[in-house]
Amino acid sequence: MAEMKKYKAGRMIMGRLEHGADLLEEITEICRKEDIRMGRVEAIGAVSVARIGFYNQDTHEYQFFTIDQPLEILSLAGNVSIKDGESMVHAHVVLGDKEGKAFGGHLAAGTIVFACECIVEILEGPTLERGLDEKTGLPLWNI
Amino acid sequence: MAEMKKYKAGRMIMGRLEHGADLLEEITEICRKEDIRMGRVEAIGAVSVARIGFYNQDTHEYQFFTIDQPLEILSLAGNVSIKDGESMVHAHVVLGDKEGKAFGGHLAAGTIVFACECIVEILEGPTLERGLDEKTGLPLWNI
Amino acid sequence: MAEMKKYKAGRMIMGRLEHGADLLEEITEICRKEDIRMGRVEAIGAVSVARIGFYNQDTHEYQFFTIDQPLEILSLAGNVSIKDGESMVHAHVVLGDKEGKAFGGHLAAGTIVFACECIVEILEGPTLERGLDEKTGLPLWNI
């Protein structure tokens, strides 16, 4: 069965990320600075280069790749929770190239902001902590 | 004109779906168990196989197809409302393959969770019920 | 550094857009009619034709293109803020064709609704106004 927890939401921070910043690291830094431990995150914008991952479900390893060209951030969706005692952002992105073709994956460090408008919604309730899930090999929530 | 209703939000449930579960059915079951009748839903994660639909706007029929390979859930976006007296989840997904190429459509049963982190936001306000819309042939909200 | 402002959320409007409406103009009109000056927006549905843009990061010009076929709206994500004194919707879309292939970009006028279920969340807090950002050439928030 799914394991779900209840939260109170309704407080958000919204703004723009710095040109040239690392997309994942910047959102992570915002969460840590604002002491956001549980949340949801979304963004649109553009990047000058992207680094994204695909999780190999057989070998249990991420395969990372770089798309070294300007791309629109068509969607960034994710959450904030705790890993190793610190706020950790888990986000997936959909990116669009100059012909409109869409790509995407697990957002990794190395994705550089051209412009980005970001929302983080703060969740009040039980803290979810990530630990190794043996079935998938992923750092999932210990619920 | 658009027909819009007003809602109060701010209560969410967040957690992870079970490995091997049917993505659409699991979210639907969560909503019914928690008695969520109006809501919005979002998720990221990965699936081992996907079944998605494209609505043919001429013939007014869904064309379903299966993508039988591991895929990242780059975005899942949708809503919860009432159809035939029960909570019904309407969601669209964007999926990414091992080369980062993106696919997507109307989420159908038969999409199997590898790992999934899901948020359902509960909306308080008027109940929207789905009924046949003659112009499109779709089960749209009778507002 | 990122420049972020704090908001109170929790009021939403949800409903369906009119068949045949212009997707971007309809959402904009809803926001103006409801006097929503700050917000976030999301939607799923389908369009009969799409017009989307890609921002050329070198020339600082949008390149717009039309995809003249029925497409699913796999995701629409964006925000509402102020430009030239009026509510302005900035949204990116991911679209799926009949084979499930995904496309996307900056949503432009000229995208026509087949069916669309839309949520606008109202944010209470500081007004963000768009003005020319010299570094990117984009109308970004003056924070």
Side-chain angles (χ1 to χ4, degrees):
Chain A
M1 269 303 299
E3 305 187 73
M4 309 294 288
K5 297 289 183 185
K6 295 184 182 179
Y7 295 89
K8 190 170 166 294
R11 286 190 301 136
M12 288 186 187
I13 57 173
M14 179 160 86
R16 66 178 172 112
L17 306 188
E18 193 176 22
H19 179 80
D22 184 290
L23 178 54
L24 179 60
E25 291 178 357
E26 182 102 327
I27 300 174
T28 303
E29 192 182 322
I30 290 167
C31 291
R32 290 182 183 172
K33 203 172 142 191
E34 297 284 339
D35 200 26
I36 299 170
R37 294 173 69 79
M38 296 298 300
R40 54 174 288 281
V41 59
E42 64 180 275
I44 58 171
V47 298
S48 53
V49 54
R51 188 158 174 78
I52 56 181
F54 175 85
Y55 190 69
N56 186 313
Q57 298 177 13
D58 293 320
T59 63
H60 287 188
E61 284 177 349
Y62 273 106
Q63 297 163 340
F64 290 99
F65 42 98
T66 297
I67 308 180
D68 192 7
Q69 58 184 333
L71 296 156
E72 299 285 317
I73 303 169
L74 304 181
S75 115
L76 179 156
N79 55 60
V80 186
S81 62
I82 300 299
K83 190 176 172 210
D84 301 329
E86 284 194 303
S87 298
M88 183 235 172
V89 173
H90 178 208
H92 285 192
V93 286
V94 185
L95 305 164
D97 73 8
K98 65 183 175 188
E99 291 170 346
K101 271 185 257 167
F103 301 86
H106 175 93
L107 177 63
T111 301
I112 305 303
V113 172
F114 178 78
C116 184
E117 296 171 358
C118 181
I119 297 173
V120 183
E121 184 159 11
I122 299 153
L123 301 187
E124 295 170 30
T127 299
L128 297 178
E129 300 215 23
R130 293 185 181 278
L132 178 66
D133 174 65
E134 299 217 340
K135 205 177 279 176
T136 61
L138 286 165
L140 299 183
W141 292 324
N142 296 315
I143 296 191
Chain B
M1 268 302 300
E3 305 187 73
M4 309 294 287
K5 297 289 182 185
K6 295 185 181 180
Y7 295 88
K8 189 171 166 293
R11 287 190 302 136
M12 289 187 187
I13 57 172
M14 179 161 87
R16 66 179 172 112
L17 305 188
E18 193 177 21
H19 180 81
D22 185 289
L23 178 55
L24 179 60
E25 291 177 357
E26 181 102 329
I27 300 175
T28 304
E29 193 182 322
I30 290 166
C31 291
R32 290 181 183 173
K33 203 172 143 191
E34 298 283 340
D35 200 25
I36 299 170
R37 294 173 69 79
M38 295 299 300
R40 54 174 290 281
V41 58
E42 63 179 275
I44 57 171
V47 298
S48 53
V49 54
R51 188 157 173 78
I52 56 180
F54 175 85
Y55 190 69
N56 186 313
Q57 298 178 12
D58 294 320
T59 63
H60 287 188
E61 285 176 348
Y62 273 106
Q63 297 164 341
F64 290 99
F65 41 98
T66 299
I67 309 180
D68 191 8
Q69 59 184 336
L71 296 157
E72 300 285 316
I73 304 169
L74 304 182
S75 114
L76 179 155
N79 54 61
V80 187
S81 62
I82 300 298
K83 191 176 172 208
D84 301 328
E86 285 194 303
S87 297
M88 183 235 173
V89 173
H90 179 208
H92 285 192
V93 286
V94 185
L95 305 163
D97 74 8
K98 66 183 175 188
E99 291 169 345
K101 272 185 254 170
F103 301 87
H106 175 93
L107 177 63
T111 301
I112 305 303
V113 171
F114 180 77
C116 184
E117 296 171 357
C118 182
I119 297 172
V120 184
E121 184 159 11
I122 298 153
L123 301 189
E124 296 170 29
T127 300
L128 297 179
E129 300 215 23
R130 293 185 181 278
L132 178 66
D133 173 65
E134 300 215 342
K135 206 176 279 175
T136 61
L138 287 165
L140 300 183
W141 293 322
N142 295 316
I143 297 190
Chain C
M1 269 302 299
E3 305 188 73
M4 309 294 287
K5 295 289 182 185
K6 295 184 182 180
Y7 295 89
K8 189 169 167 294
R11 286 189 303 135
M12 289 187 188
I13 57 172
M14 179 160 86
R16 66 177 171 113
L17 305 188
E18 194 177 21
H19 179 80
D22 185 290
L23 178 54
L24 179 61
E25 291 177 357
E26 182 102 328
I27 300 175
T28 303
E29 192 182 321
I30 290 167
C31 292
R32 290 181 184 173
K33 204 172 141 190
E34 298 283 340
D35 200 26
I36 298 171
R37 294 173 69 81
M38 296 298 301
R40 55 174 289 281
V41 58
E42 64 179 275
I44 58 172
V47 298
S48 54
V49 55
R51 188 157 174 78
I52 56 180
F54 175 86
Y55 191 69
N56 187 314
Q57 298 177 12
D58 294 320
T59 63
H60 287 189
E61 284 176 350
Y62 273 105
Q63 297 164 341
F64 290 98
F65 41 98
T66 298
I67 308 181
D68 191 7
Q69 59 184 335
L71 297 157
E72 300 284 317
I73 304 169
L74 304 181
S75 116
L76 179 155
N79 55 59
V80 186
S81 62
I82 300 298
K83 190 177 172 209
D84 301 328
E86 285 194 302
S87 298
M88 183 236 172
V89 173
H90 178 210
H92 285 191
V93 287
V94 186
L95 305 163
D97 74 8
K98 65 183 175 188
E99 291 169 344
K101 271 184 255 170
F103 301 87
H106 175 92
L107 177 64
T111 301
I112 304 302
V113 172
F114 179 78
C116 185
E117 296 171 357
C118 181
I119 297 172
V120 182
E121 184 160 10
I122 299 153
L123 301 188
E124 295 169 31
T127 300
L128 298 178
E129 300 215 22
R130 294 185 181 278
L132 178 66
D133 173 65
E134 300 216 340
K135 206 177 278 176
T136 61
L138 286 165
L140 299 183
W141 292 323
N142 296 315
I143 299 191

